[in-house]
């Protein structure tokens, strides 16, 4: 079982084996399904271990680093992005969902889309609106879609900001996201569904975008 193998390799501090296992899983199952079927459950297993983690070893951090190394390698092999005028995707994620955000971003890039990941505050996020506005108004590639991963009041604030203040379409990812409803808001449960919906949205026209 790949999930169990990942847990064992991480707990043994075997970074080389972790990388090999992830690469093999991606080759067989694809990037997004490797995340949802193996990496995410392995991380959950490690973090829920009643024995905890040995200081300095941190198996969860080791697995995260191995996954990011594989993501970086995949990203460097991605096709050229679409036409310069095609809308880009902005992915906003709190610390808990940061790795999933990068999985989604690399998957979208592999299909020729432009994507950027921005980490969001876990608290109230004072001042983040200004930072986000600056990004949206200065990026050379107009943003046509925002993907948001998070929960609670901070996530709700981000969704409201993107919909009402910036007039953007939003895909909200997760099982426990805020119960918001809007004509320009899609709700999906998994990163795999998110990638499918994002690609379908980007292939359609016209797009609502924020002009740089």
């Amino acid at each position: 079982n790949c999930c169990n193998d990942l847990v064992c390799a991480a707990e043994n501090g075997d970074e080389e084996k972790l990388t090999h296992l992830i690469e093999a899983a991606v080759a067989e199952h694809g990037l997004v399904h490797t995340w949802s079927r193996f990496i995410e459950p392995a991380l959950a297993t490690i973090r829920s271990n009643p024995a905890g983690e040995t200081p300095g070893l941190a198996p969860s951090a080791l697995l995260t680093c191995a996954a990011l190394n594989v993501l970086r390698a995949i990203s460097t092999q991605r096709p050229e992005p679409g036409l310069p005028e095609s809308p880009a995707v902005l992915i906003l994620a709190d610390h808990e969902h940061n790795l999933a955000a990068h999985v989604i971003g690399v998957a979208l890039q592999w299909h020729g889309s432009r994507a950027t990941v921005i980490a969001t505050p876990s608290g109230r996020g004072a001042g983040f609106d200004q930072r986000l506005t600056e990004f949206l108004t200065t990026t050379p590639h107009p943003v046509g879609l925002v993907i948001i991963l998070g929960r609670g009041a901070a996530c709700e604030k981000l969704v409201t900001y993107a919909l009402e203040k910036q007039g953007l379409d939003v895909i909200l990812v997760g099982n426990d996201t805020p119960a918001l409803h809007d004509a320009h808001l899609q709700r999906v449960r998994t990163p795999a569904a998110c990638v499918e919906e994002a690609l379908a949205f980007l292939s359609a026209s016209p797009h609502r975008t924020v002009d740089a």
Side-chain angles (χ1 to χ4, degrees):
N1 183 291
C2 182
C3 179
N4 292 338
D5 290 342
L6 287 172
V7 172
C8 290
E11 291 179 342
N12 291 329
D14 193 339
E15 187 174 359
E16 183 177 348
K17 185 173 182 179
L18 280 173
T19 301
H20 173 74
L21 288 168
I22 296 171
E23 289 175 339
V26 170
E28 182 175 356
H29 303 284
L31 174 59
V32 179
H33 290 293
T34 294
W35 161 254
S36 60
R37 293 174 60 183
F38 305 120
I39 299 175
E40 186 177 30
L43 283 170
T45 297
I46 292 169
R47 289 168 177 162
S48 63
N49 186 343
E53 295 185 326
T54 301
L57 177 57
S60 60
L62 192 64
L63 178 52
T64 298
C65 289
L68 285 170
N69 287 337
V70 173
L71 285 171
R72 182 171 64 249
I74 295 172
S75 180
T76 61
Q77 301 169 23
R78 70 185 187 271
E80 288 297 318
L83 297 174
E85 64 271 16
S86 64
V89 180
L90 176 60
I91 307 170
L92 305 177
D94 58 17
H95 177 74
E96 180 182 354
H97 299 91
N98 187 258
L99 185 54
H102 282 275
V103 169
I104 291 170
V106 171
L108 291 176
Q109 285 183 326
W110 188 256
H111 286 88
S113 301
R114 300 179 186 276
T116 300
V117 175
I118 294 182
T120 63
S122 55
R124 289 190 164 191
F128 187 72
D129 286 3
Q130 181 178 353
R131 176 187 168 199
L132 199 52
T133 299
E134 183 177 354
F135 173 84
L136 290 169
T137 54
T138 59
T139 178
H141 305 294
V143 173
L145 177 65
V146 177
I147 295 171
I148 299 178
L149 298 90
R151 66 180 71 185
C155 181
E156 183 173 345
K157 182 179 179 182
L158 286 174
V159 175
T160 302
Y161 171 83
L163 290 170
E164 298 180 2
K165 299 296 185 181
Q166 293 293 341
L168 288 160
D169 289 271
V170 174
I171 296 179
L172 187 56
V173 187
N175 293 321
D176 52 358
T177 52
L180 300 171
H181 301 278
D182 187 275
H184 295 281
L185 172 65
Q186 293 186 67
R187 306 174 65 88
V188 297
R189 296 179 62 187
T190 66
C194 172
V195 171
E196 290 182 5
E197 290 297 330
L199 292 174
F201 175 87
L202 294 171
S203 66
S205 62
H207 300 292
R208 298 191 305 155
T209 62
V210 173
D211 294 328

